[in-house]
């Protein structure tokens, strides 16, 4: 039988969990993030209040999503922009393909965008013979390696400086022991000409602003500004959940995103784009398109209890605190969005049957909920996903029988206490050694259960 996505997840997780070099790289990078994050969040006068306010704004958006998206479209098109609605990834790809054909485009420069990763745009463009170059340094590195992003804020987190230096040495002849600064300068040299020669620039957006019909992009390298300014045509692919009501809300969301994403007070470049070049403008694209991407988001919107997964602003902080992600890494998830938030939304975006296993890939420690800047109750949502998987009859017959037996036994204390520690230990070592005992020591049951010992103690005290 072919290996399922869930089987592959278990296999890859087992390998990555015991890859010491991988864990050392991730631990080092996340430790750096943790130090920066502590400094960044300390700048908030009342972080808890900011999170609560952000949660309320996002709640309002999701409850009135249709109205705010129409408001965005109306205001954006007033300034000459064009809005395209894409129900799924295929529609989004085809619409981008049509734009390419209309403008006879042969080359594309891209800034960092998880939405383009979601629809596998680079593969689509390559099949059409269109050159697409990633301009974000992390994205450019993984493009050279033909990897998928490891993390949706730091896509090359799984690579060390030595790995990247070796890659650049093999591809561009830089010194094998090049410094980070040397590598950055080389990338800048390679990419600079691409901005001015590309036919079309493609970006994502961090926020859609309803009352002005604008998109907001935040970044640290300046590549998004060049991508959206130099080419004659700019396409922004944006998930419909990115909407916020007003320009005034950016003074809350930008610092929350920066502090939780990279530990900064504010990222270096923050750009608001209102549409194509106007008569009074000296630069900018002649034409600008915003493609509003659904691709399963309305499936999640239908779930009244779990729709808060759409509040996510893609800061990545829940990945950085998650003990599961820290051990198994980003590539094992086989999804665009990894970690706790990916485990929450992927079953709804890509199918509960294929991705229900991700909702079980959690210790439910609650760190993800605690750190989330918009107050998503992620651990509760994962439990609700598990419930839905059972209600949709997606559990295997063996799993059903096991839980039925466990439920029957756990509700009958006397039945459990009938058996001594020796029999319980024999049962666990016989039936669970392969599944639980391969990489950990199995628990040893005492001769008497806690319940039995407690009752005996109480009898002694009553004498």
């Amino acid at each position: 039988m072919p290996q399922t996505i869930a089987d592959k997840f278990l296999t890859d997780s087992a390998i990555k969990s015991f890859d010491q070099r991988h864990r050392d790289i991730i631990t080092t990078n996340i430790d750096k993030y943790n130090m920066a994050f502590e400094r960044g969040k300390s700048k908030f006068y009342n972080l808890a209040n900011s999170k609560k306010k952000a949660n309320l704004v996002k709640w309002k958006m999701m409850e009135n999503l249709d109205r705010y998206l129409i408001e965005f479209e109306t205001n954006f098109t007033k300034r000459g922009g064009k809005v395209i609605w894409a129900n799924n990834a295929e529609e989004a790809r085809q619409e981008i393909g049509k734009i390419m054909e209309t403008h006879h485009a042969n080359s594309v420069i891209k800034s960092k965008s998880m939405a383009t990763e979601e629809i596998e745009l680079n593969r689509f463009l390559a099949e059409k013979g269109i050159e697409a170059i990633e301009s974000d340094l992390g994205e450019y590195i993984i493009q050279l390696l033909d990897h998928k992003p490891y993390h949706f804020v730091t896509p090359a987190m799984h690579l060390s400086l030595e790995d990247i230096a070796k890659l650049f040495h093999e591809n561009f002849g830089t010194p094998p022991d090049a410094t980070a600064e040397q590598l950055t300068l080389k990338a800048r040299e390679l990419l600079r000409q691409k901005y001015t020669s590309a036919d079309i620039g493609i970006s994502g957006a961090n926020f859609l602003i309803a009352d002005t019909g604008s998109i907001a992009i935040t970044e640290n390298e300046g590549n998004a500004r060049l991508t959206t300014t130099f080419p004659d045509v700019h396409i922004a692919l944006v998930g419909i959940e990115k909407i916020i009501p007003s320009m005034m809300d950016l003074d809350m969301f930008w610092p929350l995103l920066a502090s939780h994403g990279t530990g900064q007070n504010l990222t270096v470049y923050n750009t608001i784009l209102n549409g194509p070049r106007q008569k009074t403008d000296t630069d900018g694209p002649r034409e600008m398109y915003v493609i509003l991407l659904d691709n399963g988001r309305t499936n999640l919107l239908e779930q009244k209890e779990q729709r808060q997964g759409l509040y996510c602003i893609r800061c990545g902080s829940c990945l950085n605190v998650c003990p599961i992600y820290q051990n198994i890494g980003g590539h094992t998830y086989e999804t665009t969005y990894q970690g706790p938030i990916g485990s929450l939304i992927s079953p709804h975006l890509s199918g509960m049957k294929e991705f229900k296993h991700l909702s079980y890939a959690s210790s439910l420690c609650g760190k993800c909920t605690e750190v989330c800047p918009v107050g998503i109750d992620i651990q509760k949502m994962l439990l609700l996903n598990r419930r839905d998987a059972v209600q949709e009859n997606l559990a295997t017959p063996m799993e059903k029988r096991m839980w039925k037996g466990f439920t029957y036994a756990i509700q009958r204390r006397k039945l459990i206490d009938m058996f001594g520690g020796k029999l319980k230990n024999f049962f666990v070592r016989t039936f669970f050694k392969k599944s639980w005992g391969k990489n950990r020591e199995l628990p040893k049951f005492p001769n008497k259960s806690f319940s039995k010992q407690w009752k005996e103690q109480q009898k002694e005290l009553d004498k």
Side-chain angles (χ1 to χ4, degrees):
M1 287 181 64
Q3 193 179 40
T4 65
I5 295 174
D7 291 337
K8 190 175 187 304
F9 175 78
L10 291 172
T11 303
D12 292 348
S13 297
I15 294 169
K16 281 296 180 186
S17 295
F18 294 91
D19 182 341
Q20 191 59 51
R21 184 172 184 274
H22 169 262
R23 293 185 69 174
D24 289 342
I25 292 171
I26 300 310
T27 300
T28 299
N29 289 331
I30 289 181
D31 283 348
K32 290 177 183 176
Y33 163 82
N34 288 336
M35 288 188 288
F37 177 50
E38 288 301 316
R39 291 194 300 269
K41 71 178 184 179
S42 68
K43 300 296 183 180
F44 283 85
Y45 176 73
N46 189 331
L47 179 57
N49 189 60
S50 295
K51 287 183 177 185
K52 186 175 182 180
K53 183 179 178 183
N55 181 275
L56 287 171
V57 170
K58 280 292 189 176
W59 170 81
K60 181 182 178 183
M61 291 297 94
M62 290 309 112
E63 298 300 312
N64 300 277
L65 185 59
D66 52 346
R67 178 166 68 87
Y68 282 104
L69 287 172
I70 294 297
E71 183 181 354
F72 166 81
E73 180 182 34
T74 301
N75 291 323
F76 182 70
T77 54
K78 279 179 183 177
R79 294 180 59 84
K82 299 173 184 177
V83 172
I84 298 170
W85 299 71
N87 290 312
N88 51 47
E90 180 58 26
E91 281 190 19
R93 288 191 294 263
Q94 292 304 321
E95 290 296 337
I96 291 171
K98 290 176 185 176
I99 297 169
M100 298 286 171
E101 291 174 7
T102 300
H103 296 279
H104 308 289
N106 295 310
S107 61
V108 165
I109 187 77
K110 290 175 72 253
S111 67
K112 189 175 182 303
S113 164
M114 291 310 294
T116 61
E117 294 289 344
E118 186 180 334
I119 69 168
E120 297 185 324
L121 181 60
N122 285 1
R123 177 184 58 78
F124 172 77
L125 295 176
E127 289 172 356
K128 284 187 163 291
I130 297 171
E131 181 190 39
I133 300 294
E134 296 286 353
S135 61
D136 174 83
L137 181 56
E139 292 280 354
Y140 183 59
I141 289 166
I142 64 169
Q143 185 180 31
L144 291 173
L145 289 167
D146 196 26
H147 286 185
K148 289 187 176 181
Y150 184 90
H151 185 292
F152 47 79
V153 175
T154 48
M157 182 191 272
H158 59 303
L159 301 172
S160 66
L161 176 60
E162 291 75 20
D163 295 329
I164 300 168
K166 180 183 177 184
L167 174 69
F168 272 55
H169 173 67
E170 292 172 351
N171 283 271
F172 311 118
T174 54
D177 58 348
T179 64
E181 184 179 6
Q182 288 174 312
L183 297 172
T184 303
L185 288 172
K186 184 62 180 178
R188 184 178 297 168
E189 174 194 326
L190 293 164
L191 292 170
R192 182 64 64 172
Q193 180 265 338
K194 299 291 184 182
Y195 294 113
T196 54
S197 63
D199 298 311
I200 290 181
I202 297 180
S203 75
N206 297 100
F207 303 103
L208 295 164
I209 306 168
D211 69 345
T212 59
S214 311
I215 68 169
I217 300 175
T218 184
E219 51 162 339
N220 279 313
E221 297 174 17
N223 59 291
R225 281 190 176 179
L226 297 172
T227 297
T228 59
T229 303
F230 276 115
D232 278 343
V233 179
H234 172 209
I235 303 170
L237 179 68
V238 193
I240 56 175
E241 82 283 8
K242 295 294 186 72
I243 195 86
I244 58 173
S246 168
M247 185 83 72
M248 302 303 291
D249 293 301
L250 287 175
D251 71 345
M252 174 180 62
F253 282 106
W254 263 346
L256 281 173
L257 179 56
S259 60
H260 287 70
T262 57
Q264 296 168 277
N265 297 335
L266 200 63
T267 44
V268 179
Y269 299 97
N270 297 282
T271 308
I272 297 167
L273 301 171
N274 299 307
R277 185 192 311 168
Q278 304 296 301
K279 291 180 180 179
T280 55
D281 293 337
T282 56
D283 58 18
R286 285 186 295 103
E287 292 191 39
M288 181 175 173
Y289 302 82
V290 171
I291 300 177
L292 298 174
L293 181 66
D294 181 344
N295 203 34
R297 285 161 176 79
T298 48
N299 295 336
L300 185 52
L301 188 65
E302 287 177 5
Q303 307 298 318
K304 189 171 183 179
E305 293 175 298
Q306 288 118 295
R307 68 173 56 145
Q308 62 179 274
L310 293 171
Y311 299 178
C312 177
I313 59 173
R314 305 290 190 264
C315 69
S317 58
C318 63
L319 283 68
N320 299 329
V321 300
C322 177
I324 306 299
Y325 181 88
Q326 289 174 14
N327 279 278
I328 68 174
H331 289 152
T332 54
Y333 287 83
E334 293 288 329
T335 59
T336 305
Y337 307 106
Q338 313 89 0
I341 190 63
S343 297
L344 163 56
I345 67 176
S346 294
H348 300 280
L349 300 184
S350 305
M352 185 65 75
K353 184 177 180 180
E354 292 80 6
F355 291 99
K356 75 179 182 71
H357 62 279
L358 294 182
S359 299
Y360 294 85
S362 171
S363 64
L364 300 177
C365 65
K367 286 185 177 180
C368 50
T369 298
E370 180 184 335
V371 78
C372 179
V374 290
I376 303 172
D377 194 348
I378 299 176
Q379 78 222 51
K380 181 182 177 183
M381 301 302 103
L382 293 175
L383 287 172
L384 292 173
N385 278 359
R386 297 180 189 185
R387 177 205 65 188
D388 290 352
V390 173
Q391 290 179 350
E392 292 175 29
N393 204 30
L394 296 175
T396 63
M398 177 61 75
E399 185 181 346
K400 290 178 182 177
R401 286 195 293 270
M402 286 178 63
W403 282 113
K404 190 174 182 180
F406 174 81
T407 304
Y408 180 86
I410 205 69
Q411 291 176 337
R412 292 160 177 82
R413 186 76 246 178
K414 289 181 180 180
L415 179 62
I416 295 176
D417 289 344
M418 279 175 59
F419 305 101
K422 286 184 178 180
L423 187 59
K424 290 176 183 176
N425 286 321
F426 171 79
F427 179 81
V428 169
R429 280 160 174 71
T430 302
F431 295 101
F432 295 98
K433 186 176 182 180
K434 287 185 178 179
S435 58
W436 286 357
K438 185 178 178 182
N439 297 309
R440 62 174 70 82
E441 186 177 349
L442 290 168
K444 186 176 181 180
F445 290 92
N447 290 328
K448 295 180 181 179
S449 69
F450 175 81
S451 175
K452 207 166 187 179
Q453 292 179 57
W454 179 267
K455 288 175 182 176
E456 289 177 0
Q457 181 179 300
Q458 292 303 307
K459 284 181 182 178
E460 288 296 323
L461 292 173
D462 292 340
K463 285 182 180 178

